[in-house]
Amino acid sequence: MMFNSIVDEMMAQDMEVVMGGGRDNFQSRKTMNAGKFHDGKSIEDPGDDRDLIAEAKANGYTYAATVDELLGVDARNTDKLLGIFHANNGLVQERNNPPADQPHLSQMTDKGLEVLANEEDGFFLMVEGGQIDWAAHANDLDNTIGETLAFDDAVKAALDFQAKNPDTLVVVTADHETGGLDFDTRTGEATWSSGDHTAAMVKVMAEGPGAELFQGDMDNTDIARNIAQVLDLSKPLVIQQEDAVTGAPTIFTVTSMGLPVADAKITVKSGINNTLTVLTANANGQAGYIFAKEGNYTVSASKGGYTDAETITVASMKPAAGDASIGLTIKDGKQQTVTGNLKAGQQYYLTWEGKKNSNGNLSGLSILQVTQGSQPLFLNAAKGLTVSDDQETEYSVLFQPTKKGNMTVQGFFWNDWSGSASWQSFANPVEQTIIVE
């Protein structure tokens, strides 16, 4: 673990309350994992002579190194609290004879809440019973029980605070289960199925305003989003896109707390009530759309009751440079050209054909798109496709229509978007109308 680096980043955030173990990562820090790699990446954690505890004191932190010092902290007159109670990264487990000067997790929770209660605009406190995981990795039932009971005491401290401060939300959960513990209440026997994390579901419980957002089965990332919603933090959903121009795909990306949001609905409108399309974001939180006309559009994203919207300006694509010529052919599963109507549910190949109009080679981005009215049904792109003057280059993709009716197949050839400040078409686009029955 990169404990020195983690402490560096943690203290750089200037948080109001930080408590735990790991004094060796705050003072006279030794280099850890020297010369070691994991998955091809260096995991060396450089040491130095910094004294982060002294730096914290100079930065206004009250420092506690023992339980007596912690309990003696005057919370009303303390803006920031740092408590480091053990040399190594973890405190001694409750049933392993911890030193008498080591506080319990519940005591740290109590004092942390007392200090944070001074914040007029509210606060967020994360309390972790991290030693439950360590004991379960070792399949140590006695310490797993002891650490769970210690965590339960910390939960009680939080609930006692909530009872006196009813505008406080308490959420209790775990990031995973460890060890695959099964306990037979009839015989009192415990069995373990693993020494590592498992895929077992974990509980989510809550008390206080907003508790209804933390019920039943939840995606773990929704916990952070719901907390952000309760605290009225930054938008739970954010939609972004690069510069948009006509005739080129505009890629929308939907994120929440910096993470992609799959299956978000992206609505593109021209004017107030004219919906051009409703897209569904893929696993990367992305979906693409090609604008036919320049102008201002409203783009919104929604999922789980959260929304974000913004107005974007679409500019005109530069005219085709005429560097290449492209064609479009539709073939069946036997690679024979289709001359009649297509059938829904059957597989076809959309084939893009390109050739350079002058000597040499030309590399760019080839696009195949199928639309039905203003609704995009299919979009596929090949980056770095090279065409030459001496022979025709083909690029085929599998297409299986699921809807019936008239559709338009379009082919494009543009410059490589990742290496240019603006879009440029190398060839006039081609299109073909198809009927699916």
Side-chain angles (χ1 to χ4, degrees):
M1 289 292 291
M2 309 288 282
F3 291 123
N4 291 337
S5 301
I6 291 172
V7 168
D8 286 345
E9 294 183 12
M10 183 171 63
M11 297 309 295
Q13 304 307 312
D14 202 34
M15 293 179 285
E16 283 87 354
V17 173
V18 178
M19 285 186 277
R23 190 179 303 112
D24 290 345
N25 302 110
F26 283 79
Q27 296 173 317
S28 302
R29 309 186 308 172
K30 298 179 180 179
T31 296
M32 304 172 67
N33 305 319
K36 293 184 178 181
F37 290 80
H38 180 71
D39 289 340
K41 296 181 180 180
S42 172
I43 58 172
E44 181 171 314
D45 194 14
D48 51 43
D49 294 328
R50 289 179 64 189
D51 185 341
L52 273 74
I53 293 177
E55 292 179 19
K57 291 179 180 179
N59 192 29
Y61 279 88
T62 297
Y63 176 64
T66 67
V67 61
D68 289 339
E69 291 178 357
L70 176 66
L71 297 180
V73 169
D74 181 3
R76 292 183 180 180
N77 295 308
T78 300
D79 294 325
K80 296 186 290 188
L81 173 63
L82 174 64
I84 307 298
F85 307 106
H86 193 261
N88 295 328
N89 53 63
L91 300 179
V92 179
Q93 295 177 357
E94 292 278 347
R95 294 189 177 183
N96 276 355
N97 298 315
D101 61 357
Q102 175 180 295
H104 299 294
L105 186 62
S106 58
Q107 293 172 313
M108 289 186 278
T109 303
D110 273 331
K111 188 60 68 173
L113 289 169
E114 288 178 19
V115 172
L116 292 172
N118 297 324
E119 296 290 330
E120 295 182 358
D121 57 351
F123 63 85
F124 172 86
L125 174 67
M126 196 280 286
V127 178
E128 181 181 15
Q131 295 281 4
I132 300 174
D133 176 64
W134 289 23
H137 273 295
N139 291 173
D140 181 345
L141 180 63
D142 188 46
N143 275 310
T144 298
I145 294 173
E147 293 306 303
T148 301
L149 291 174
F151 180 70
D152 190 58
D153 288 340
V155 172
K156 182 180 185 302
L159 290 175
D160 288 345
F161 180 89
Q162 196 278 334
K164 298 176 182 177
N165 302 271
D167 58 345
T168 304
L169 171 66
V170 179
V171 179
V172 181
T173 188
D175 52 346
H176 55 75
E177 193 275 343
T178 301
L181 174 61
D182 182 60
F183 187 80
D184 190 329
T185 57
R186 296 170 300 174
T187 64
E189 294 183 359
T191 57
W192 303 85
S193 63
S194 171
D196 211 333
H197 304 160
T198 73
M201 298 287 279
V202 297
K203 293 286 187 181
V204 181
M205 298 159 281
E207 182 74 26
E212 68 278 1
L213 298 174
F214 303 88
Q215 295 181 359
D217 294 337
M218 298 179 61
D219 187 292
N220 58 353
T221 60
D222 284 333
I223 293 175
R225 296 187 186 106
N226 290 350
I227 289 174
Q229 180 183 6
V230 170
L231 292 178
D232 195 25
L233 297 180
S234 58
K235 300 176 182 177
L237 280 187
V238 175
I239 185 167
Q240 298 170 299
Q241 80 287 321
E242 297 180 353
D243 291 342
V245 296
T246 58
T250 298
I251 305 301
F252 301 104
T253 303
V254 183
T255 59
S256 179
M257 308 296 286
L259 300 174
V261 179
D263 300 323
K265 298 300 180 183
I266 302 170
T267 303
V268 180
K269 290 185 177 183
S270 173
I272 299 176
N273 297 316
N274 184 21
T275 298
L276 299 180
T277 186
V278 178
L279 310 169
T280 300
N282 61 19
N284 296 317
Q286 295 182 324
Y289 181 70
I290 296 179
F291 290 93
K293 298 180 180 180
E294 62 184 62
N296 294 329
Y297 296 83
T298 301
V299 181
S300 62
S302 63
K303 185 179 180 182
Y306 305 141
T307 62
D308 184 32
E310 63 177 39
T311 300
I312 66 171
T313 299
V314 178
S316 293
M317 161 85 69
K318 294 180 180 179
D323 296 316
S325 299
I326 60 174
L328 185 63
T329 304
I330 301 174
K331 300 179 180 181
D332 60 20
K334 297 180 180 180
Q335 293 292 327
Q336 300 298 311
T337 300
V338 177
T339 57
N341 295 343
L342 281 61
K343 295 186 180 297
Q346 292 192 11
Q347 293 183 341
Y348 299 90
Y349 290 93
L350 307 181
T351 302
W352 179 103
E353 301 129 354
K355 192 172 183 179
K356 194 170 185 294
N357 291 334
S358 58
N359 294 336
N361 298 327
L362 181 64
S363 180
L365 181 71
S366 58
I367 303 286
L368 285 167
Q369 178 182 248
V370 180
T371 61
Q372 188 171 38
S374 63
Q375 179 73 29
L377 302 179
F378 178 86
L379 179 66
N380 192 283
K383 181 182 177 184
L385 193 72
T386 300
V387 300
S388 64
D389 64 302
D390 57 354
Q391 65 179 2
E392 193 172 73
T393 299
E394 289 191 355
Y395 155 57
S396 295
V397 295
L398 191 64
F399 172 61
Q400 185 174 1
T402 58
K403 297 183 177 181
K404 297 180 180 180
N406 293 354
M407 302 178 188
T408 301
V409 183
Q410 297 172 302
F412 307 89
F413 190 38
W414 295 308
N415 60 325
D416 184 354
W417 58 270
S418 63
S420 176
S422 60
W423 286 99
Q424 175 66 54
S425 177
F426 286 147
N428 290 317
V430 293
E431 68 177 48
Q432 182 175 331
T433 300
I434 60 175
I435 299 176
V436 180
E437 58 185 22

